[in-house]
Amino acid sequence: MKKKLFSVMLAAAMAASLLVGCGSGAPASSGGGNGKVGVAMPTKDLQRWNQDGANMEKQLKAAGYDVDLQYASNDIATQVSQIENMISSGAKVLVIASIDGDSLGTVLAQAKEAGIKVIAYDRLIMNSDAVSYYATFDNYMVGTKQGEYIKQQLDLDNAAGPFNLEIFTGDPGDNNARFFYGGAIDVLKPYIDNGKLVVKSGQVDFDNVATANWSTENAQSRMDAIISANYADGTKLDAVLCSNDSTALGVTNSLEANYTGDWPIITGQDCDIANVKNMIAGKQSMSIFKDTRDLAAKTVEMVDAIMKGTEAPVNDTSTYDNGTGVIPSYLCEPVFADVNNYKTLLIDSGYYTEDQLK
Ligand code: BGC
């Protein structure tokens, strides 16, 4: 059932053509007192969520809302109880980046009962009809950009190969992970099938390449095992597809400790500070920049529309079915980042200071 749903979603993702980017349309301040918005974030451990939370809080306050911002240390029970508190303390809208997309059905039924609207933030909340909108980046496009990068760098259509590839994706409870993996594997699978790409570990299917909690340590220990079984004899590893920066960091740490051959291509996502530093040092090849300021601005527009009883801005009404129907979505555009353009993207735009990347 899940597999079928996933392939329907992927087909829809490929067909989706409504993407128009993600403008920064934060509403002007209305001076406070517009009601309370609960913002539930998964964890402070990963840098991007700190940025998401801070941007949401700042922009919601500027638009006149009270904000209850909570982080749940990647613990599902903690996130559920934080949402229960938001409901009982009078939040009018909930903005939720779920830890496990399938675990919020019961608490969100309570929200619906209380007339509270829910926006799924970045990650889709599955199997709940309480979700009104979904604000995210084009997750399938993230994977496509990573796969295309490997394809171009190895010149897979012309070079003789074969090239050795290993694959690391994200948490199975995060619906996004399947889109990232799906986008990349759709580009790379033909070359795995015709033998130009060889995955020596044999680990290709989603379940075999998933990383619980997106954890750097889990990715690192899986890479340790892959190197010792397949690359310790000097066999060259040409590329590692990593769906995001936390997994890329684990892979990089493992390679630094255990691998002596030529450095492989390594992909990533988020432009976390540690990973941008690795890009500058030549240890990570690319990342995907998802400007969380733009995602926050779009989400605040959605909150505003809900509060005013108007329609929220969406640009995709076909891709993201959460099991209860398609959730109207706004997909921001993910941007390719590497050592050549990071200054413009990250420093000139004020996302990071130059000092943060030293
Ligand atoms: C987000 C990624 C992030 C990952 C791990 C995903 O849902 O879209 O940006 O790297 O979670 O936190």
Side-chain angles (χ1 to χ4, degrees):
M1 156 69 195
K2 263 199 168 160
K3 259 195 182 148
K4 193 171 163 221
L5 179 62
F6 176 50
S7 50
V8 170
M9 290 189 299
L10 276 189
M14 287 185 288
S17 58
L18 286 165
L19 189 79
V20 294
C22 191
S24 55
S29 169
S30 52
N34 284 348
K36 182 149 95 178
V37 178
V39 179
M41 289 284 150
T43 175
K44 283 193 164 174
D45 292 350
L46 252 75
Q47 191 205 319
R48 75 151 286 189
W49 302 114
N50 294 281
Q51 235 129 353
D52 287 276
N55 288 327
M56 281 301 302
E57 185 169 42
K58 186 170 156 200
Q59 295 186 26
L60 280 168
K61 281 187 173 161
Y65 297 102
D66 292 330
V67 183
D68 181 2
L69 169 64
Q70 300 293 335
Y71 287 86
S73 306
N74 258 342
D75 182 63
I76 297 168
T78 303
Q79 187 165 60
V80 169
S81 91
Q82 289 172 340
I83 295 170
E84 277 167 356
N85 286 338
M86 291 169 183
I87 295 171
S88 61
S89 67
K92 302 242 180 329
V93 177
L94 301 175
V95 175
I96 302 171
S98 55
I99 295 166
D100 180 316
D102 260 311
S103 302
L104 299 178
T106 310
V107 69
L108 293 192
Q110 291 168 36
K112 190 175 178 190
E113 183 76 21
I116 299 167
K117 302 281 188 209
V118 177
I119 299 171
Y121 182 90
D122 193 82
R123 297 171 171 173
L124 187 57
I125 297 166
M126 306 304 288
N127 300 312
S128 164
D129 66 358
V131 182
S132 299
Y133 295 106
Y134 180 34
T136 191
F137 289 85
D138 187 327
N139 297 304
Y140 184 81
M141 189 192 278
V142 169
T144 306
K145 284 180 190 269
Q146 294 166 334
E148 287 289 348
Y149 181 78
I150 291 177
K151 178 179 156 182
Q152 280 162 17
Q153 292 298 307
L154 295 178
D155 195 14
L156 290 179
D157 283 333
N158 302 303
F163 299 103
N164 292 325
L165 168 80
E166 297 295 340
I167 304 169
F168 287 72
T169 194
D171 188 90
D174 178 354
N175 187 57
N176 288 354
R178 295 174 191 276
F179 278 83
F180 302 145
Y181 171 84
I185 215 72
D186 283 352
V187 175
L188 299 176
K189 187 85 180 1
Y191 303 97
I192 297 175
D193 290 346
N194 73 16
K196 201 163 271 189
L197 283 176
V198 177
V199 182
K200 288 185 76 73
S201 67
Q203 296 164 9
V204 176
D205 292 347
F206 179 86
D207 289 341
N208 292 323
V209 301
T211 308
N213 280 330
W214 292 95
S215 138
T216 296
E217 292 70 29
N218 290 343
Q220 184 166 344
S221 59
R222 192 175 141 242
M223 191 69 206
D224 287 348
I226 288 176
I227 293 173
S228 86
N230 303 283
Y231 301 95
D233 62 356
T235 301
K236 186 172 179 227
L237 176 59
D238 295 286
V240 190
L241 170 74
C242 295
S243 284
N244 86 330
D245 279 354
S246 60
T247 53
L249 201 58
V251 164
T252 305
N253 292 345
S254 172
L255 286 166
E256 281 194 306
N258 306 303
Y259 175 75
T260 51
D262 287 346
W263 201 255
I265 294 162
I266 300 176
T267 65
Q269 164 183 204
D270 291 335
C271 288
D272 283 347
I273 287 176
N275 299 74
V276 179
K277 286 183 179 171
N278 276 350
M279 288 203 297
I280 296 166
K283 294 186 206 162
Q284 182 172 321
S285 318
M286 58 84 76
S287 189
I288 299 285
F289 179 47
K290 304 200 299 191
D291 194 328
T292 55
R293 295 168 298 194
D294 287 349
L295 183 60
K298 208 32 92 176
T299 309
V300 174
E301 281 183 50
M302 284 180 170
V303 170
D304 245 28
I306 288 171
M307 292 292 208
K308 291 180 181 133
T310 56
E311 291 290 308
V314 296
N315 63 4
D316 184 295
T317 52
S318 61
T319 305
Y320 287 98
D321 188 326
N322 80 341
T324 66
V326 172
I327 306 299
S329 307
Y330 198 100
L331 311 186
C332 297
E333 191 166 1
V335 177
F336 172 86
D338 71 359
V339 72
N340 298 314
N341 71 353
Y342 82 94
K343 279 191 179 149
T344 316
L345 280 182
L346 304 173
I347 298 176
D348 296 353
S349 79
Y351 203 74
Y352 295 138
T353 62
E354 208 154 2
D355 280 351
Q356 284 177 293
L357 300 179
K358 276 186 184 147

